[in-house]
Amino acid sequence: MNTTALNTTVLGTAAAAAAVGLHVASLAPRGAAVAALGGDFGPLPPLHPEEEDVVRTAVADRRREFAVGRHSARIALGGLGFAPRVIRRGPGGAPVWPPGVVGSITHAGGVCAAAVAPAADVAGLGIDIEPAEPLPDEVLTLVCTPGERHQLPPGPAAPLFAKVVFSAKESVYKVLSPLTGRFWDFHDVELALDLPGGGFRLDRGPFPVHGRFRVADGFVITVARPERPRALTTGGTLPAVPPPVLVPAPASPSVSAPVRAVPDPGPVPASARAAAGPAPEGTPPQMTVAQHLSADVEKVRSYYRLVDEGDVEGLLALFAPDAVYHRPGYEPLTGRAELGRFYREERVVARGRHTVTSVTAAGGAVAVQGGFRGELRDGGTVALRYADFFALSPEGLFTRRDTYFFAPLV
């Protein structure tokens, strides 16, 4: 296996893919292999049956994006000496690389890129590309912490550099998630920016991560890697960081209790159990109330990921057969058949990304605040804030969902 030469493969006719591939390669650590393909790449590359299952019910654009991304990844792996192979999807949605390899896949603006590297040389590798367009004001506060906003340059350049922060965090998450085994929100981490030098580092997080960025050829390109964790230098693995456990504070039944994220301390104190009420029927005896709430929250988070990936079958499986969805501008949608028709045919959004900024859970209910940015089927764009309320059955299925948008209607 070649661990010293920088291998870069760029295929397809899109000049943008060629430019992105070269930029990613120049920012990636030595020994990495990079491949980039344009969205106008010819017929869809064939998928392995296990890969096909991931996007069998997805919309056409998502299927193509996934197929070209997997093909890019196979080409990149070839740069490290690997024969073509299936690239499965892990529990959190990230690609599963061969043993001894780290890497990530990214796509935006009709370009898919993949970068891989030997794990013996680098403990993790995250890449991200985004169109070099300013981050809307209503999304900027969802993405950037107050400390990061303070580092942005004054004046009209701030929204574009906020997009750099957005992309850098995407790259950082692709480093953190495989090594910690948990999902990270935008405000869970904070970056220190070196805007003149084209660099960034993780200022608040589980271990040091640093990266580089470039704004060129119509794209923001970021690459992140961890500083070598001590546990990995001797051939071990980094201990998993437990996901946050949500513990409701005492409150009267008519007032929503605030929720704070804390590491799981084991059994939940009696005061917290009393505040949360009895565990839902069907909860295994060994599962604490806090663990049950955490499972509900993770299920809600997975819903947004499945929506953004266009995995209709996957998201429908989260709903009870007779679930009801209330959404502004639509009659109530009842049952999986109506929900499936909405997501496949009636939803005006073509593609986009949800950002979750706040989650509150108690007694079989989960409340979410966040933002959404995407493209509409008619070619327009949308950027807005939303609030969602989920009711869950004892089995952990959504029985009701209510959506509200922060929009000036009255």
Side-chain angles (χ1 to χ4, degrees):
M1 181 182 296
N2 183 355
T3 61
T4 57
L6 182 68
N7 302 299
T8 305
T9 305
V10 181
L11 297 178
T13 59
V20 165
L22 293 173
H23 288 306
V24 173
S26 68
L27 296 173
R30 187 168 181 79
V34 177
L37 298 172
D40 56 358
F41 183 77
L44 278 180
L47 291 174
H48 186 279
E50 290 186 53
E51 298 169 338
E52 178 67 34
D53 286 343
V54 175
V55 289
R56 189 176 304 280
T57 61
V59 297
D61 284 351
R62 167 62 182 156
R63 286 176 56 82
R64 183 170 189 81
E65 194 174 68
F66 182 86
V68 176
R70 283 306 192 265
H71 192 54
S72 299
R74 276 186 267 275
I75 295 171
L77 285 171
L80 296 183
F82 287 90
R85 61 183 56 218
V86 58
I87 302 173
R88 298 177 176 85
R89 185 174 71 170
V96 177
W97 302 106
V101 173
V102 296
S104 60
I105 302 172
T106 183
H107 39 71
V111 173
C112 291
V116 294
D121 295 342
V122 58
L125 179 59
I127 68 170
D128 184 70
I129 61 174
E130 302 289 339
E133 301 168 354
L135 203 65
D137 290 342
E138 62 269 26
V139 180
L140 190 152
T141 54
L142 300 176
V143 171
C144 300
T145 66
E148 290 163 343
R149 295 199 296 272
H150 183 71
Q151 299 176 65
L152 298 177
L160 179 57
F161 281 100
K163 177 63 79 67
V164 171
V165 176
F166 176 93
S167 180
K169 286 190 170 184
E170 289 289 319
S171 289
V172 166
Y173 299 149
K174 293 175 183 180
V175 171
L176 295 181
S177 293
L179 292 174
T180 63
R182 60 158 286 192
F183 176 90
W184 296 83
D185 266 333
F186 280 107
H187 281 228
D188 287 340
V189 301
E190 185 166 88
L191 302 181
L193 309 175
D194 175 13
L195 298 182
F200 57 88
R201 72 174 188 274
L202 182 59
D203 228 15
R204 188 185 72 209
F207 51 82
V209 178
H210 65 268
R212 302 164 66 196
F213 74 86
R214 186 168 299 157
V215 181
D217 294 299
F219 286 88
V220 172
I221 304 106
T222 59
V223 176
R225 57 178 292 183
E227 294 181 14
R228 192 90 178 149
R230 180 174 299 176
L232 295 182
T233 61
T234 57
T237 57
L238 190 70
V241 175
V245 175
L246 304 176
V247 182
S252 65
S254 60
V255 179
S256 297
V259 174
R260 59 191 182 92
V262 299
D264 188 357
V268 181
S271 59
R273 290 199 299 272
E281 184 179 345
T283 302
Q286 69 275 17
M287 179 180 282
T288 65
V289 173
Q291 289 169 333
H292 187 90
L293 293 174
S294 181
D296 288 349
V297 169
E298 289 306 309
K299 188 159 291 187
V300 169
R301 289 189 185 280
S302 70
Y303 162 79
Y304 294 108
R305 173 177 58 79
L306 292 167
V307 170
D308 292 346
E309 292 178 352
D311 186 349
V312 177
E313 290 301 320
L315 69 89
L316 290 179
L318 299 176
F319 287 85
D322 58 350
V324 180
Y325 178 19
H326 292 263
R327 179 182 178 91
Y330 294 84
E331 292 297 318
L333 303 169
T334 303
R336 289 175 177 165
E338 289 189 9
L339 287 167
R341 184 173 63 251
F342 166 76
Y343 284 108
R344 293 189 181 98
E345 303 173 14
E346 299 177 5
R347 189 169 181 248
V348 299
V349 174
R351 65 181 63 82
R353 175 186 172 83
H354 289 83
T355 301
V356 175
T357 58
S358 173
V359 183
T360 304
V366 179
V368 179
Q369 290 190 61
F372 177 81
R373 177 176 171 82
E375 300 177 15
L376 304 177
R377 291 179 187 261
D378 63 5
T381 60
V382 61
L384 50 78
R385 293 172 60 207
Y386 65 86
D388 271 342
F389 299 87
F390 294 83
L392 289 88
S393 70
E395 297 75 28
L397 296 177
F398 303 152
T399 58
R400 176 170 175 143
R401 180 187 173 206
D402 294 83
T403 295
Y404 301 91
F405 300 112
F406 290 79
L409 299 179
V410 294

